Amino acid sequence: MATVFTKIAAGEIPSYKVAENEDYYAFLDINPMVKGHTLVIPKKTETDYIFALDDSTYAGLWAFAKKVSEAIYKAIPCKRVGVAVLGMEVPHTHIHLVPLESESDMDFRKKKLELSEAEFRQIAKSISEEYDKL
Ligand code: AMP
């Protein structure tokens, strides 16, 4: 059965798209720790565990995440973009990219931001525009 993230990449479930190429897709986390919290996924595999990916998909995923992180860094005021991989909730490999002002911005236990649809759209647009310039 297709995972929720496979359906997102296929456009069957809506998401706030940030960037994509043939093999990978980036979109805003719906329960963000901070503005610009982004998820990066492979489109063509539903492998649950990132370290179970084949080497080529694994390397490509990180290369794509690197490019997306550059766009986030330009679009969202932050000191740097942090990276995390958990996969405790959705069984489809994904990398969290989180713009950080301080260490406490990367805290998966704290209450998540509640953003309006317009805010999500505006954040996704600003990152996407930076991605398109790279
Ligand atoms: P984890 O699997 O522990 O890395 O957490 C999964 C992440 O995916 C959480 O941060 C969720 O907020 C996020 N998430 C789950 N469903 C969606 C969705 N439909 N759109 C965007 N983000 C989602």
Side-chain angles (χ1 to χ4, degrees):
M1 201 176 73
T3 69
V4 60
F5 286 177
T6 302
K7 290 181 180 169
I8 282 177
E12 293 165 13
I13 290 178
S15 67
Y16 298 99
K17 181 175 125 177
V18 160
E20 77 177 313
N21 64 24
E22 201 188 329
D23 296 318
Y24 305 99
Y25 187 83
F27 57 105
L28 297 182
D29 192 303
I30 204 71
N31 302 302
M33 288 185 276
V34 293
K35 287 184 180 182
H37 179 174
T38 297
L39 301 176
V40 177
I41 61 171
K43 289 181 179 175
K44 292 174 188 165
T45 171
E46 296 190 326
T47 303
D48 173 12
Y49 186 43
I50 192 165
F51 296 128
L53 289 174
D54 65 83
D55 288 353
S56 161
T57 306
Y58 179 84
L61 179 67
W62 284 106
F64 179 69
K66 180 182 176 190
K67 195 171 168 189
V68 174
S69 80
E70 288 170 29
I72 294 172
Y73 185 76
K74 288 184 172 151
I76 309 286
C78 63
K79 288 199 176 133
R80 57 177 54 211
V81 176
V83 177
V85 178
L86 284 79
M88 303 305 284
E89 195 185 307
V90 179
H92 181 135
T93 290
H94 52 281
I95 296 172
H96 293 258
L97 296 177
V98 184
L100 303 175
E101 280 293 354
S102 75
E103 202 179 300
S104 62
D105 288 333
M106 179 82 88
D107 180 352
F108 285 86
R109 289 163 303 187
K110 83 175 175 195
K111 191 176 180 313
K112 303 299 191 295
L113 291 186
E114 286 177 22
L115 303 176
S116 68
E117 204 180 317
E119 285 176 301
F120 273 117
R121 241 191 268 116
Q122 188 274 323
I123 294 164
K125 182 167 177 275
S126 61
I127 300 172
S128 177
E129 283 173 356
E130 293 298 341
Y131 182 84
D132 289 341
K133 288 186 216 159
L134 293 172

